[in-house]
Each structure stands twice: as structure tokens, then as C-alpha cells.
């Protein structure tokens, strides 16, 4: 495994200059080859620099020659990174989506209480169809592929086949560690997988086992992380903790544990009222709560005393109105669940159609039209109660809502204001 170094302060500033020069020279070659039009070149570079500037408060993770500036932006300098950069190329088309979450199976030996797939019942979609769509997305400009289950290692052959269908995108896999083996990890690395994301919702092994409702959850987690390191794969963690855990010491203990386990990136996921928590008040945080949590994130990401802790990728920061806002619906990312429903994001239990019933292009165009402009409202929260009411009124036992019932939600929702990035980048 290559040595990991965290970049903050002056060293990060120097690397930023290096990145800017490298990006300029890379796209200069594209200009000379005719790939980029001369009249667009300077404007495109200014847009790209503006995009990169939105990550200025992040802690960079340098592993070998590669630098990770944002969880969902591929490592620099990689083919996938430069493909992602073309998101802001000058065009009369809506900026392309660069990230997708694909579920390869609903099979899982866990029963996590918060699972957003809690009611996603049905047969797994044909893997050949999913691979065909993944390859199409790869060609369309998607540069970050996040693959999950259920537990994807329970259908390893399907997982491998899906990874093999992606040629120029960075691949990360969400796993509990259940079903991992050194041989499988070596094979996945050889076909382009970059890293794994594990769930780390507590620093207490028994609480992890209890939350995930599996007596081997912590053991599988730590064994999976150890195997990933030995295979030379990156390791990230997702943590979804309730409000009180940010103020009673749990947050700090999780960061300590993540550091000890060699996790380099930890994603803070605000509890979502979807799936197992649909319609609940679990997501409530006051403005003061969010401010204090952001201060903690900034401290760990930028203060010298916390240099060796993982980079914290916080949704509450990236999705602020002065950042990227809600990026669902193909604004920047979307989700295809295990049974083939195309959803704006994994936390919003609605569907624009199923790839088993309709052509993907038609479904995707329908969703993109619904998300014609970006918004800063967290739809997974603002629409949760309405979705729960529709579930109750129609005695629904399976999610997401059908395409037809979903229209009751999308037909009159409020998307909020256009976030700063999407509002300003087009002016450049």
C-alpha cells in the first residue's frame, strides 16, 4: 500500500498551484488536438478553477502520486479526474452528471434500522442490463461509480462483471466486509476498483453489532478494512449518527477509531427520513447545531493538531446553498436500485421509471427534465412526510413509490433556490 499523506495549510496551497499548472497543460494538449475549441479554452479553464475552488477547505488525501480532493471527484491526476472536469465545459446542454450509485443486489445478511432500502423488495435486475447502462453512463461522462448492495460480495460474480463494464470511471464499492476475501480484493483491484466504503456508526463494537443487527458486523468491518489495506485499496467510511452523538463525544470517538483503523476519508451522512426512518423526525438539526458541526469538520480538516485524522466529507457542507446544494436527479448524481428503479438519490424513495420496463434513456431524460435546474432544498427531508402519507393511504409495502405515485410528489414540490455554484459557473 502506498503511503498516505494528508495535505493542509501551505503544503496544500503549493499542491493547488501544481494541480492548476498540470490541469492547464493537460487541456492545452486537448486544445492543440482539436478536442477543445479555441474560443472556449480560457472560459472553460476559468470554470474548472472555480469548480476546484469549492474544495479549498477540504483536507487533501495524497496516496502515492494521486490526490483526493473530494470524495465524489476522482483522484488527480487520473483519466477519470479529467473526464469529471469536462462537466463545466462550455455547451448549450445542461451540465452532465458525473456520479452514480448502482445497487447490484438487495441481498444482505444485515438488518440496519436506518436502511434506505428497507422496503425495496423485488427481484434483482438482470446484471447484463445493468452493465449495459453502466457502460453507457461511462461514455456519457460519468466519472465516479459507487457500487453497493445489499451486500455486493454476496453476488460476487455480478459485482465483478459490473466493475468490468466500466472503463474510464473511478470505482468505489460499499460493503460491510461480509463475503470479502483477499483473492476477491486482488481481482477487483486488477480490474480498476480504487477503494471501499464501510459503515462506521459508532466507536463501540457492540453498538455497531446492535445497530446493524448482526453479531459479526464489527468483526467483518475490521477484517474487511485490514484486507483492503493489504490489497493496496483505499478505505473510506460512512457514518450516520443522530444529533446528540455530535455533542456527547461519540463523533470524536468515531474519528479516533477511524484514524486507528487507517480510514482516510469519512463521510458524514446526516440522518435521512427515508427507508427505515421514512416520515420520522430523525433528521432535525437546528441551524446552531449545523454551525457547530461545521466548526468541528473545519477543525479536523484544517487544523495542524488534527492533520493525521481522516478527511471529513460532510454532506451538510457540500450541500449548502453557497456550495453545490442538492445534487440529486442527475444534477451531479443519481441512483439505480437493485430492482432497476431510477431514483434521484438513494434517500428519496421515489422513482422515475424502471429499466426493466422502459428504455433507460427515456427514464433518464424524464428525471433530468424534472431537475432542469439545481436546487438547495434537501428533498429527502422536505418530501419525506408526503411520501410516508402516500405509503399509508395506499397501503404500500414496497418502495420506492411507483412512477405514477411519484408524480404526486414531484408535481408540486419546492426545490428551493439555485445553489451558488450552478448559478455562478454559467456566468464565467
Amino acid at each position: 500500500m502506498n503511503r498516505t499523506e494528508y495535505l493542509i495549510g501551505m503544503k496544500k496551497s503549493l499542491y493547488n498551484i501544481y494541480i492548476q499548472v498540470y490541469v492547464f497543460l493537460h487541456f492545452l494538449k486537448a486544445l492543440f488536438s482539436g478536442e477543445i475549441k479555441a474560443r472556449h479554452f480560457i472560459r472553460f479553464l476559468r470554470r474548472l478553477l472555480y469548480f476546484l475552488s469549492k474544495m479549498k477547505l477540504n483536507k487533501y488525501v495524497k496516496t502515492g502520486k494521486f490526490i483526493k480532493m473530494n470524495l465524489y471527484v476522482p483522484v488527480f491526476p487520473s483519466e477519470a479526474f479529467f473526464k469529471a472536469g469536462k462537466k463545466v465545459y462550455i455547451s448549450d446542454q445542461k451540465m452532465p452528471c458525473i456520479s452514480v450509485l448502482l445497487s447490484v443486489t438487495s441481498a444482505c445478511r444485515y438488518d440496519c434500522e436506518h436502511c434506505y432500502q428497507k422496503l425495496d423488495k423485488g427481484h434483482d435486475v438482470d446484471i447484463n442490463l445493468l452493465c449495459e447502462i453502466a457502460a453507457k453512463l461511462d461514455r456519457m461522462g460519468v466519472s465516479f461509480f459507487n457500487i453497493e448492495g445489499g451486500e455486493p460480495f454476496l453476488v460476487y460474480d455480478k459485482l465483478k462483471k459490473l466493475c468490468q463494464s466500466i472503463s474510464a470511471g473511478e470505482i468505489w464499492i460499499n460493503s460491510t466486509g461480509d463475503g470479502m476475501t483477499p483473492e476477491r480484493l486482488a481481482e477487483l483491484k486488477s480490474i480498476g476498483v480504487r477503494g471501499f466504503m464501510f459503515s462506521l456508526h459508532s466507536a463501540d463494537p457492540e453498538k455497531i453489532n446492535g445497530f446493524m443487527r448482526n453479531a459479526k458486523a464489527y468483526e467483518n468491518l475490521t477484517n474487511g478494512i485490514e484486507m483492503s489495506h493489504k490489497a493496496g485499496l483505499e478505505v473510506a467510511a460512512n457514518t450516520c449518527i443522530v444529533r446528540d452523538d455530535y455533542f456527547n463525544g461519540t463523533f470524536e470517538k468515531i474519528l479516533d477509531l477511524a484514524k486507528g483503523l487507517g480510514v482516510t476519508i469519512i463521510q458524514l451522512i446526516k440522518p435521512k427520513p427515508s427507508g427505515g426512518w421514512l416520515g420520522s423526525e430523525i433528521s432535525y438539526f437546528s441551524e446552531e447545531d449545523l454551525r457547530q458541526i461545521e466548526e468541528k469538520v473545519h477543525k479536523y480538516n484544517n487544523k495542524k493538531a488534527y492533520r493525521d485524522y481522516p478527511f471529513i466529507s460532510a454532506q451538510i457542507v457540500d450541500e449548502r446553498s453557497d456550495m453545490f446544494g442538492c445534487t440529486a436527479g442527475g444534477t451531479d448524481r443519481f441512483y439505480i436500485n437493485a430492482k432497476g428503479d431510477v431514483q434521484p438519490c438513494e434517500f428519496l424513495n421515489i422513482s422515475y421509471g424502471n429499466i426493466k420496463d422502459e428504455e433507460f434513456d427515456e427514464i433518464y431524460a424524464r428525471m433530468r427534465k424534472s431537475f432542469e435546474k439545481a436546487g438547495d432544498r434537501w428533498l429527502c427531508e422536505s418530501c419525506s412526510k408526503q411520501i410516508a402519507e402516500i405509503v399509508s393511504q395506499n397501503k404500500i409495502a414496497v418502495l420506492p413509490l411507483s412512477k405514477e405515485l411519484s408524480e404526486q410528489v414531484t408535481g408540486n414540490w419546492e426545490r428551493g433556490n439555485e445553489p451558488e455554484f450552478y448559478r455562478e459557473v454559467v456566468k464565467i
Side-chain angles (χ1 to χ4, degrees):
M1 181 70 182
N2 289 316
R3 187 175 75 90
T4 295
E5 180 183 5
Y6 296 106
L7 305 179
I8 63 172
M10 181 58 69
K11 195 163 190 177
K12 185 176 75 173
S13 298
L14 292 173
Y15 266 98
N16 274 331
I17 296 171
Y18 164 66
I19 291 167
Q20 290 170 15
V21 172
Y22 197 115
V23 166
F24 172 78
L25 294 175
H26 175 88
F27 285 112
L28 188 63
K29 292 179 183 177
L31 172 65
F32 290 148
S33 70
E35 183 182 349
I36 293 177
K37 295 179 181 179
R39 69 178 185 274
H40 291 161
F41 181 65
I42 298 300
R43 189 177 172 205
F44 165 57
L45 287 181
R46 289 178 60 212
R47 281 186 170 193
L48 185 52
L49 290 176
Y50 178 64
F51 173 55
L52 296 177
S53 75
K54 287 296 183 181
M55 302 166 208
K56 64 184 178 182
L57 293 180
N58 291 355
K59 177 185 290 183
Y60 294 179
V61 182
K62 184 176 183 292
T63 305
K65 69 174 184 177
F66 294 106
I67 298 173
K68 193 76 168 169
M69 294 176 277
N70 179 288
L71 178 57
Y72 292 105
V73 174
V75 291
F76 165 88
S78 65
E79 181 181 358
F81 173 85
F82 292 111
K83 184 166 73 160
K86 292 178 182 177
K87 176 181 178 69
V88 294
Y89 185 64
I90 286 62
S91 168
D92 57 0
Q93 302 294 316
K94 177 177 165 64
M95 279 186 282
C97 172
I98 63 170
S99 177
V100 67
L101 175 63
L102 303 173
S103 181
V104 73
T105 183
S106 60
C108 187
R109 288 192 275 244
Y110 291 54
D111 186 26
C112 302
E113 64 179 69
H114 72 307
C115 183
Y116 50 79
Q117 300 177 27
K118 202 74 167 180
L119 299 177
D120 287 17
K121 300 170 184 175
H123 295 294
D124 291 349
V125 72
D126 181 85
I127 190 60
N128 293 311
L129 177 56
L130 193 59
C131 288
E132 179 184 318
I133 290 171
K136 175 178 287 191
L137 292 170
D138 200 14
R139 295 190 298 271
M140 287 168 55
V142 171
S143 57
F144 188 93
F145 290 81
N146 193 186
I147 301 173
E148 64 160 22
E151 172 47 64
F153 278 92
L154 297 183
V155 291
Y156 178 68
D157 288 341
K158 291 182 179 181
L159 171 63
K160 182 174 73 171
K161 189 169 187 176
L162 182 57
C163 292
Q164 288 173 323
S165 71
I166 300 162
S167 62
E170 183 170 300
I171 305 170
W172 285 70
I173 298 170
N174 291 2
S175 177
T176 62
D178 185 13
M180 277 188 175
T181 66
E183 295 76 20
R184 288 177 169 182
L185 295 189
E187 187 172 35
L188 289 172
K189 184 182 180 185
S190 73
I191 59 177
V193 173
R194 179 155 192 90
F196 287 88
M197 297 186 199
F198 297 88
S199 293
L200 194 60
H201 306 307
S202 173
D204 183 331
E206 289 306 314
K207 287 185 178 179
I208 290 175
N209 292 345
F211 184 81
M212 303 181 85
R213 295 175 184 168
N214 186 297
K216 297 186 70 176
Y218 185 76
E219 179 184 346
N220 288 337
L221 163 71
T222 51
N223 287 343
I225 290 175
E226 183 178 358
M227 282 188 279
S228 298
H229 284 314
K230 287 181 178 179
L233 290 154
E234 300 281 349
V235 175
N238 298 312
T239 187
C240 180
I241 56 177
V242 296
R243 177 207 171 275
D244 289 352
D245 285 341
Y246 282 100
F247 304 103
N248 63 14
T250 297
F251 172 75
E252 288 78 7
K253 290 176 182 176
I254 290 174
L255 266 292
D256 288 339
L257 176 60
K259 177 186 174 186
L261 291 173
V263 171
T264 58
I265 304 172
I266 188 158
Q267 179 177 212
L268 295 187
I269 300 175
K270 188 169 178 281
K272 304 293 186 179
S274 66
W277 285 342
L278 181 65
S280 74
E281 298 292 340
I282 196 72
S283 64
Y284 177 76
F285 288 65
S286 70
E287 289 299 319
E288 178 61 19
D289 293 336
L290 295 176
R291 186 190 65 77
Q292 291 187 44
I293 294 168
E294 285 191 28
E295 286 181 358
K296 290 174 183 278
V297 171
H298 177 72
K299 178 178 70 175
Y300 274 94
N301 280 348
N302 293 284
K303 299 299 182 182
K304 188 175 180 180
Y306 300 92
R307 181 200 300 272
D308 296 329
Y309 279 83
F311 157 46
I312 301 176
S313 174
Q315 289 183 342
I316 62 169
V317 175
D318 288 344
E319 296 181 2
R320 283 187 334 217
S321 182
D322 63 339
M323 291 286 285
F324 300 103
C326 173
T327 59
T331 300
D332 208 46
R333 65 190 302 272
F334 72 102
Y335 176 51
I336 302 179
N337 75 6
K339 59 183 178 177
D341 289 296
V342 178
Q343 300 179 224
C345 97
E346 63 271 32
F347 302 118
L348 189 55
N349 300 132
I350 62 173
S351 172
Y352 281 88
N354 192 292
I355 59 176
K356 292 183 290 188
D357 305 324
E358 293 181 82
E359 289 294 323
F360 170 73
D361 289 350
E362 294 179 12
I363 303 171
Y364 187 68
R366 182 184 303 133
M367 178 177 68
R368 293 273 285 179
K369 183 177 181 181
S370 183
F371 286 82
E372 185 64 32
K373 283 191 174 183
D376 63 1
R377 179 162 293 184
W378 295 339
L379 299 173
C380 54
E381 297 185 7
S382 63
C383 298
S384 176
K385 288 187 177 180
Q386 184 183 5
I387 295 172
E389 288 171 1
I390 294 172
V391 167
S392 176
Q393 291 167 3
N394 293 273
K395 297 181 171 56
I396 293 170
V398 176
L399 286 176
L401 298 181
S402 67
K403 177 179 66 176
E404 293 72 24
L405 287 175
S406 294
E407 290 173 357
Q408 295 181 26
V409 179
T410 62
N412 59 2
W413 64 10
E414 291 292 333
R415 297 277 321 287
N417 298 315
E418 191 171 17
E420 181 179 289
F421 171 78
Y422 287 95
R423 185 178 67 249
E424 297 299 325
V425 72
V426 295
K427 298 178 183 178
I428 297 174

